[in-house]
Amino acid sequence: MSSAQPLYARLKDHVMNRIRAGDWKAGRRVPSENELVQRFGVSRMTANRALRELTADGYLDRVPGVGTFVRARAQQSSLIELRNIADEIAARGGKHAARMVVKEKTPTTPALARQFELSKPSKLDHVVLVHEENGVPVQIEDRYVNPAVAPDFLRQNFTKITPTAFLLAAVPVEELEHSVSAIQPSREQRRLLKMQDGEPCLALHRRSWSGGRVVTSVTLIYPGRRSALYSRYRTSANGTLSH
Amino acid sequence: MSSAQPLYARLKDHVMNRIRAGDWKAGRRVPSENELVQRFGVSRMTANRALRELTADGYLDRVPGVGTFVRARAQQSSLIELRNIADEIAARGGKHAARMVVKEKTPTTPALARQFELSKPSKLDHVVLVHEENGVPVQIEDRYVNPAVAPDFLRQNFTKITPTAFLLAAVPVEELEHSVSAIQPSREQRRLLKMQDGEPCLALHRRSWSGGRVVTSVTLIYPGRRSALYSRYRTSANGTLSH
DNA sequence: AAGTGGTCTAGACCACCAG
DNA sequence: TGGTGGTCTAGACCACTTT
């Protein structure tokens, strides 16, 4: 089962696995191109491509004449990464919990059929849950899923694995659509987020595609009082924005 | 003045200039690697790197055995591009106008000094303007600029050139920070945007760096009723999100 | 002086697609 | 069969930093 993966991709994986596992922490020097050439028996151009692409991807810093290092804050190039909120909270040192509010199969309304690009009426999976950080509600997740793409979705226990984590593992995402707006929360949403009257919310809507079909359509609602979306990144050498 | 630019970067520029100028439109075949080798006298690896990076940047599509083509919709990988609102409105076929509200030099408050990473008190340029599309206000721009980095800023006529357009041309941006939140607009902001009572706003805050110094800190305020931020993009081959 | 990254070359082999 | 992109090599020269 020798992988058909190209050599430079295997080198990238090797480095990323060390970083993800925590073996190589921020600021640590990673092997030089010549060291990779020695250890893996590849040409220097191949080692160079691996490290160069990881740098463009935001994971490494390279300093000519000095070396290559694990970047301090992994670059967050998009305002919205497809991340698991449980991981985000854990990264901040908080304790995540999720509370189920709705878990059902529901027939498509015309609006839902349009969102899922379905020509015929069908059934969709629907869940609503509230994510909490240290007991404080921080996000409402209102999600529809196409069961033709992710059949086992409704059978999961979403207090143990978040819908995002399940879908990320179950379905390869090929395309993403995001939009963000400010909304006045409904009474029910205010209650779930334990918000004061009059406070606005940030609504993030996302659709994802796999194999040309819409996998899921989700609305994430955050209390507006603190910024829910943040990114910081460098621009690439040629002046276009790095992505 | 032979440019110190590497060959692959010059090839990228050459292709991008043709695309930007409209010579090569969406779907058009661009020169193959071998054609670039012939015309520019470079090795195939160099031509390959140029076209490969432009593909990763979202501008081209490559099909093995067939060719390389200008991508239909230039990929909008980040939710927030550093774009000029006048261009955005023009791209939608609308008519842009800007109205000056404030144009002044102002001493730094402690909060501003922190934002600009200044150790000593100093003066900053400050402008507030309202951008309109077909006569309808669509954005408040509240911007501070470090005059040590962009000296001529306040001398511009911002009803003719937007602050973004001027700064993009005047200062190379190397790093960007964005955050988004939902806010309840002040009475003054409601007035400027001609909004109803109770409607929330989307606030986008951005800082940009050049040469290690903060160039500008800007807050863009949008009426929340329609989504101000949108993106759609594909994920890259190796499974990580394209940026 | 030795090591680093940055670039470039001139070949090569492969899978794929077209005529 | 010839052209395309995808990858890889084994060298090379350079500017730079560290020792």
Side-chain angles (χ1 to χ4, degrees):
Chain A
M1 60 150 279
S2 79
S3 67
Q5 253 202 329
L7 292 178
Y8 75 88
R10 280 190 253 177
L11 290 182
K12 288 178 73 172
D13 284 346
H14 173 259
V15 172
M16 281 310 296
N17 287 339
R18 292 303 182 89
I19 293 175
R20 290 213 184 89
D23 298 342
W24 296 346
K25 302 200 171 164
R28 188 194 195 279
R29 196 177 159 285
V30 309
S32 71
E33 296 182 1
N34 284 323
E35 287 168 339
L36 291 175
V37 166
Q38 297 278 327
R39 292 196 213 167
F40 292 90
V42 299
S43 76
R44 210 195 121 204
M45 278 299 280
T46 300
N48 173 271
R49 178 168 176 183
L51 296 182
R52 174 159 42 82
E53 290 192 357
L54 285 176
T55 304
D57 291 346
Y59 298 109
L60 301 178
D61 271 322
R62 312 200 78 182
V63 183
V66 181
T68 303
F69 306 87
V70 178
R71 190 169 290 179
R73 308 175 302 259
Q75 179 165 328
Q76 189 182 353
S77 65
S78 177
L79 198 61
I80 294 167
E81 304 282 338
L82 197 42
R83 277 180 311 184
N84 181 0
I85 188 171
D87 294 345
E88 282 185 57
I89 290 174
R92 291 195 288 262
K95 181 164 165 43
H96 170 263
R99 190 157 51 85
M100 290 296 311
V101 179
V102 172
K103 190 174 188 178
E104 62 179 6
K105 274 194 140 22
T106 180
T108 51
T109 61
L112 278 173
R114 213 177 316 117
Q115 276 192 45
F116 278 81
E117 300 172 346
L118 297 171
S119 48
K120 298 175 184 174
S122 170
K123 291 253 183 185
L124 294 172
D125 297 343
H126 180 213
V127 296
V128 176
L129 41 155
V130 177
H131 295 278
E132 299 183 348
E133 176 169 0
N134 300 325
V136 179
V138 291
Q139 182 195 94
I140 299 173
E141 172 174 0
D142 187 342
R143 181 185 295 273
Y144 293 87
V145 173
N146 186 344
V149 182
D152 294 334
F153 181 72
L154 267 197
R155 277 196 279 283
Q156 308 308 310
N157 176 354
F158 293 123
T159 60
K160 300 225 169 192
I161 181 173
T162 65
T164 300
F166 171 75
L167 289 172
L168 272 177
V171 183
V173 172
E174 284 147 19
E175 195 159 359
L176 285 171
E177 178 193 65
H178 288 111
S179 65
V180 178
S181 54
I183 63 166
Q184 205 60 258
S186 69
R187 193 173 303 120
E188 171 71 0
Q189 291 165 340
R190 250 197 334 260
R191 187 180 65 77
L192 291 173
L193 290 173
K194 294 179 182 163
M195 290 173 63
Q196 303 297 321
D197 207 54
E199 259 187 293
C201 284
L202 211 57
L204 166 62
H205 186 249
R206 171 193 295 150
R207 286 194 295 171
S208 65
W209 282 258
S210 184
R213 292 183 296 178
V214 175
V215 181
T216 184
S217 168
V218 59
T219 303
L220 305 174
I221 298 177
Y222 303 84
R225 75 185 82 93
R226 81 163 177 204
S227 175
L229 304 173
Y230 177 85
S231 78
R232 181 160 171 168
Y233 57 105
R234 296 170 212 192
T235 56
S236 64
N238 61 2
T240 65
L241 296 186
S242 68
H243 299 150
Chain B
M1 60 147 277
S2 80
S3 69
Q5 255 202 327
L7 294 177
Y8 75 88
R10 281 190 251 176
L11 290 182
K12 288 179 72 172
D13 284 346
H14 174 261
V15 173
M16 281 309 296
N17 287 339
R18 293 302 183 88
I19 293 176
R20 290 212 183 91
D23 297 342
W24 297 346
K25 301 197 172 166
R28 189 195 195 279
R29 195 177 160 286
V30 309
S32 72
E33 296 182 1
N34 283 323
E35 287 167 338
L36 291 176
V37 166
Q38 298 277 326
R39 292 196 213 166
F40 293 90
V42 300
S43 76
R44 210 195 121 206
M45 276 300 279
T46 300
N48 173 272
R49 178 169 175 183
L51 296 182
R52 173 159 42 82
E53 290 192 358
L54 285 176
T55 305
D57 292 345
Y59 298 108
L60 301 178
D61 272 322
R62 313 200 79 183
V63 184
V66 181
T68 304
F69 306 87
V70 178
R71 189 170 291 178
R73 306 178 304 257
Q75 182 164 325
Q76 186 184 355
S77 65
S78 177
L79 195 62
I80 294 168
E81 305 280 339
L82 196 45
R83 278 180 309 184
N84 181 0
I85 188 171
D87 294 345
E88 283 185 56
I89 291 174
R92 289 195 290 262
K95 182 164 165 40
H96 170 261
R99 189 157 52 85
M100 289 296 310
V101 179
V102 172
K103 189 175 190 179
E104 62 180 6
K105 275 194 136 28
T106 181
T108 51
T109 62
L112 278 174
R114 213 178 315 118
Q115 277 192 42
F116 278 81
E117 300 174 346
L118 297 171
S119 47
K120 299 174 185 176
S122 171
K123 291 253 182 185
L124 293 171
D125 296 344
H126 180 213
V127 296
V128 176
L129 39 153
V130 177
H131 294 279
E132 299 184 347
E133 176 168 0
N134 300 326
V136 178
V138 292
Q139 182 194 94
I140 298 174
E141 172 173 1
D142 187 341
R143 181 184 295 272
Y144 293 87
V145 173
N146 186 344
V149 181
D152 293 334
F153 182 71
L154 268 197
R155 278 197 279 283
Q156 308 307 309
N157 177 353
F158 293 125
T159 60
K160 299 226 169 189
I161 182 173
T162 65
T164 300
F166 171 75
L167 289 172
L168 273 177
V171 184
V173 173
E174 285 147 19
E175 194 159 358
L176 284 172
E177 178 193 66
H178 288 111
S179 66
V180 178
S181 54
I183 62 166
Q184 205 60 260
S186 69
R187 195 172 302 119
E188 171 70 1
Q189 290 166 339
R190 249 195 337 258
R191 188 181 65 77
L192 290 173
L193 290 173
K194 293 179 183 162
M195 292 172 61
Q196 302 297 322
D197 207 56
E199 259 187 294
C201 284
L202 210 58
L204 166 61
H205 186 249
R206 171 193 294 151
R207 286 193 295 171
S208 64
W209 282 258
S210 183
R213 292 182 297 178
V214 175
V215 181
T216 185
S217 168
V218 59
T219 304
L220 304 174
I221 298 177
Y222 303 84
R225 77 185 83 93
R226 83 163 177 202
S227 175
L229 304 173
Y230 177 85
S231 79
R232 181 159 171 169
Y233 57 104
R234 299 171 213 185
T235 57
S236 65
N238 62 4
T240 64
L241 296 186
S242 66
H243 303 148

